[in-house]
Amino acid sequence: MMSLPTVKELVLLGGGHSHVEVLRSWGMKPVPGVRLTLVTRDMHTPYSGMLPGYVSGFYSYDECHIDLARLAAFAKARLIHAEANGIDTQARRVLFPSRPAVRYDALSIDTGITPAAASVPGAAKHITAVKPIDKFVARFDALLLRVRASQGPLALAVVGGGAGGVELALALAHRLKQERAAAAGGGTAPGEDVVKLFCRGRLLPDHPAAARAALRSLCIAAGVQLHEGTAVQRVEAGCIVTEDGVSHPFDEALWCTQAAAAGWLKATGLPTDAAGFLLIGDTLQSAGGPPEVFAAGDVASSVNHPRPKAGVYAVRQGPPLADNLRRYLTGQPLLPFVPQSQALALISSGDKYAVGTRGWLTSQGAWAWSLKDYIDRAFMDKYGAALPFDKVMAMGASHQSSSSSSSLLGWLFGGSAGSSSSQQQLPGAFAAAGSEGAELFTASAMRCGGCGAKVGSSTLSRVLTRVKTQQQRQQQQKLVAAPSLAAAAAGEDGLLRQLQLGADDAAVLPPPPPGHLLVSTVDFFRAFWPDAYLLGKIAANHALGDCYAMGATPSSALALAVVPFGPSHFQEAELGDMLQGAVEVLGAAGCELVGGHSSEGPELSAGFAITGHVKPQELLSKSSLQPGQALILTKALGTGSILAAAMRGEAKGRWVSSCLDAMAASSAEAARVLRQHGCSAATDVTGFGLLGHAVEMARASQVKLELSLPDVPALPGAAECISAGLLSSLHPTNAKAAAAVIDNYQQLQAEALHPLLFDPQTAGGLLAGVDADAAGACVQSLRKAGYADACVVGRVLHRLQLPEEGQEEQQLQPLVSVSVG
């Protein structure tokens, strides 16, 4: 399929309310030639308007959180799950503490706000900030567990007399009563809980007097103790001290005062107001800053139209922000946006009752809460259930192919490269990119194969320089950590290192230690996640798994990398990020990247050829299982089904995050623990799934195995994906191949989760045979080493007399029995 290259990079920094609209809009109508990237600390972004309802118990987690992973998939955006800590506006890069920077041509910032508790001594240490909301949600869930376990009344404090503080205090009072009533079950509750609300000034200072009076009465009726005109002087462990000298003990204190912008924003040099918020003009661009930088939501302050920090204004900025980002990237004039001067405010009282205000008008009742609930649910549906995912996914490939082809034909046959009419025919961002855009668009029509597809020498040279620098830094860190070992290694092969990653045609390696065998393996796959850095880490980890399964120590690696066609800086970033991720993993394993090959291709792909060494007596193989051994699995299963679901927009972001973390976890320590406990045979569980790789071990060892389906660990979300029929494209082949060698396959098919056994794994765990009497201690050691899902999943039953390899009888011989009860 013909696809257009990336000519411009749009980066959305933060998953705030404005950016979710940009993502939705982009999914409906992408701009040709622009790659969209979402950088977010969280896979799920909370909708602030539903937070009080969540606290009250009216909404579940998913009902009040937007799934950014799904929304990014809808927008076909690259998602980078990381927290930024800087912006280099000169180089146009977003910076991170522990991963490569991300380049941009246009940047939009919607990162929200952080607690502003630093001005009160002790507050940062002893309180729970409501913003950022995601961290508050986790702390609140822990508070609920504390409430349910408590035998006596609790004292909760809320600091902040604005709408957020009032709603939170009333929601807490309601939820505590509900929890106590449920726990009592008709019996006696353990005393009366106390919720105190502290306000520096009067309650709801920005709202009409009628609204203040209504909510003051509701607080009193709910048992919330109001402390108006009572500023907090300091916070101690379990105690708030107010300016009048009175101490107020608490079991939990929640901080809901005006929050602040992230401190690192000032260091970017972007114009900010006195409070540190980014200044923006009417077009939502940085006011007085670089024109390619935009901002919206609570992190921004409009120079000409200042508004309160409220979600309603961030939501309204979404459409004009999306429009102006398109216009900027395609060279069109930007349009001014003037926010409304007044907004409807619906302040809930914790029990499906609300007070509504707009301007000086005030009203209240259950109808107001129903209206708020309707508005909030409609907003969430817009970015969740109501996304036309199937329609966009169905039209995506064919539309891109046909539009790309027609645009190319129009360009190639409709005019010369320099004519204005030709420039107008260029789609999307290509015309705005000038001659570079025209050249890239023309060159994308036909790309050569063979050595004509190699990545350019200058691009490759810059990437290799970056990799060399990274490897040198790793060597220096090793020297500091273990001077004698590092110095010895440098003395042995210092000359050889001069030849590596240079201009030579091949890497020159030292021989293995005396008496050791060489072990060689290779793995390669297409990208399953659009983050080259993470792909490099997981691809290296996946390739190392074969080496660990053999009991070997990895020593060197060759890289195989495919990057899409695009500008040299684009290819350099993709290849550099991929190799940086790989070198981090390889270096931690004591394995040095010594060379490789790079090429252009239709999509990002990565692989590694690993060379290692092992003493003959320590070599592990699939053929050494012994009857009576326990089968231990070191990682949970489900990467295939979760990634398949993610491609369709059906996997929750937190499932994807857990899946990526599992794939990035090394098996090096697991291999060491298994050897310590007498492991005699092992394999890494990858593409053929647990059952497929177990069959390989059974056939090689000529034994029959029993697997216990209830004991097989599954990654979070894997069971849900499998139950929904969201399976990998390799799954049918795996299931068909294994069916003939399972002696109770028909019985197994009746089990809802049996597909988990055939699920292809990427960078999966190790499956190993360990003596039964050592299995318990082995599993405990694995879990202590960080493999929380490690467990015994089966056993070796007895030996089999199998025909020679290749005979039909062998293929039909039952090798595995699966226990389902």
Side-chain angles (χ1 to χ4, degrees), residues 475 484-494 497:
Q475 290 297 327
S484 59
L485 294 177
E492 285 180 10
D493 58 356
R497 291 182 190 280

Side-chain angles (χ1 to χ4, degrees), residues 323-598:
D323 184 42
N324 275 344
L325 287 170
R326 291 176 189 277
R327 288 175 171 275
Y328 179 82
L329 290 164
T330 55
Q332 301 177 57
L334 274 59
L335 300 178
F337 167 69
V338 178
Q340 74 265 37
S341 58
Q342 294 181 345
L344 173 65
L346 296 167
I347 306 172
S348 60
S349 63
D351 56 352
K352 296 190 176 183
Y353 191 92
V355 175
T357 70
R358 183 177 176 90
W360 57 270
L361 294 173
T362 300
S363 185
Q364 60 180 304
W367 67 267
W369 190 91
S370 297
L371 176 61
K372 175 179 171 57
D373 178 63
Y374 174 80
I375 293 172
D376 290 343
R377 288 184 184 274
F379 176 83
M380 294 298 295
D381 282 347
K382 185 178 181 181
Y383 304 104
L387 283 174
F389 216 107
D390 292 340
K391 179 180 178 181
V392 171
M393 292 290 285
M395 67 173 285
S398 59
H399 175 75
Q400 181 183 11
S401 179
S402 61
S403 63
S404 300
S405 300
S406 61
S407 297
L408 284 167
L409 289 172
W411 164 256
L412 291 172
F413 299 106
S416 61
S419 69
S420 60
S421 61
S422 296
Q423 290 291 333
Q424 292 174 358
Q425 293 174 14
L426 289 171
F430 288 94
S435 60
E436 180 188 25
E439 292 171 3
L440 285 168
F441 189 73
T442 305
S444 67
M446 183 178 295
R447 304 300 300 164
C448 290
C451 279
K454 288 173 67 71
V455 172
S457 60
S458 58
T459 298
L460 186 59
S461 177
R462 290 192 295 270
V463 171
L464 292 180
T465 298
R466 172 177 163 183
V467 172
K468 287 179 184 178
T469 302
Q470 183 181 356
Q471 289 182 322
Q472 290 170 357
R473 184 165 58 248
Q474 288 178 335
Q475 290 297 327
Q476 291 171 354
Q477 291 171 349
K478 289 181 180 178
L479 183 61
V480 172
S484 59
L485 294 177
E492 285 180 10
D493 58 356
L495 175 61
L496 296 173
R497 291 182 190 280
Q498 296 177 19
L499 301 175
Q500 297 167 8
L501 278 175
D504 294 283
D505 293 329
V508 180
L509 304 174
H516 283 228
L517 300 174
L518 281 177
V519 175
S520 183
T521 182
V522 64
D523 266 301
F524 181 84
F525 48 65
R526 300 160 49 203
F528 50 83
W529 191 252
D531 180 353
Y533 169 73
L534 190 57
L535 175 66
K537 295 184 72 168
I538 293 174
N541 198 34
H542 183 86
L544 288 168
D546 286 332
C547 210
Y548 294 134
M550 299 291 291
T553 299
S555 56
S556 64
L558 296 171
L560 302 170
V562 178
V563 294
F565 170 63
S568 60
H569 61 76
F570 170 81
Q571 291 190 325
E572 179 182 343
E574 291 291 275
L575 183 57
D577 289 358
M578 181 193 300
L579 293 182
Q580 179 172 334
V583 168
E584 287 181 11
V585 171
L586 295 171
C591 183
E592 186 168 6
L593 182 65
V594 296
H597 183 81
S598 58

Side-chain angles (χ1 to χ4, degrees), residues 6-14 19-39 71-80 102-103 106-108 322 325-326 329 530 570:
T6 294
V7 68
K8 294 288 184 182
E9 299 265 16
L10 169 58
V11 174
L12 305 181
L13 180 52
H19 278 176
V20 297
E21 172 57 26
V22 176
L23 288 164
R24 189 193 71 88
S25 171
W26 216 267
M28 301 291 288
K29 188 180 179 182
V31 177
V34 176
R35 178 169 70 167
L36 177 62
T37 297
L38 171 65
V39 176
L71 191 54
F74 174 78
K76 295 181 173 60
R78 175 175 62 157
L79 191 154
I80 293 178
V102 173
R103 183 189 172 278
L107 171 67
S108 181
L325 287 170
R326 291 176 189 277
L329 290 164
F570 170 81

Side-chain angles (χ1 to χ4, degrees), residues 273-295:
D273 63 13
F277 296 104
L278 296 173
L279 291 173
I280 58 172
D282 292 354
T283 58
L284 305 180
Q285 291 169 292
S286 174
E292 68 271 10
V293 177
F294 295 71

Side-chain angles (χ1 to χ4, degrees), residues 223-247:
V224 175
Q225 297 182 12
L226 287 176
H227 296 269
E228 294 186 79
T230 307
V232 176
Q233 183 184 67
R234 67 181 186 275
V235 182
E236 301 171 351
C239 182
I240 283 177
V241 180
T242 52
E243 285 186 343
D244 56 9
V246 178
S247 295

Side-chain angles (χ1 to χ4, degrees), residues 671-705:
R672 185 191 66 80
V673 171
L674 289 169
R675 286 196 303 269
Q676 284 182 340
H677 290 82
C679 171
S680 66
T683 187
D684 62 331
V685 180
T686 52
F688 298 150
L690 173 63
L691 213 148
H693 288 285
V695 166
E696 289 182 335
M697 296 186 78
R699 181 173 291 129
S701 299
Q702 298 204 12
V703 295
K704 186 171 184 180
L705 308 180

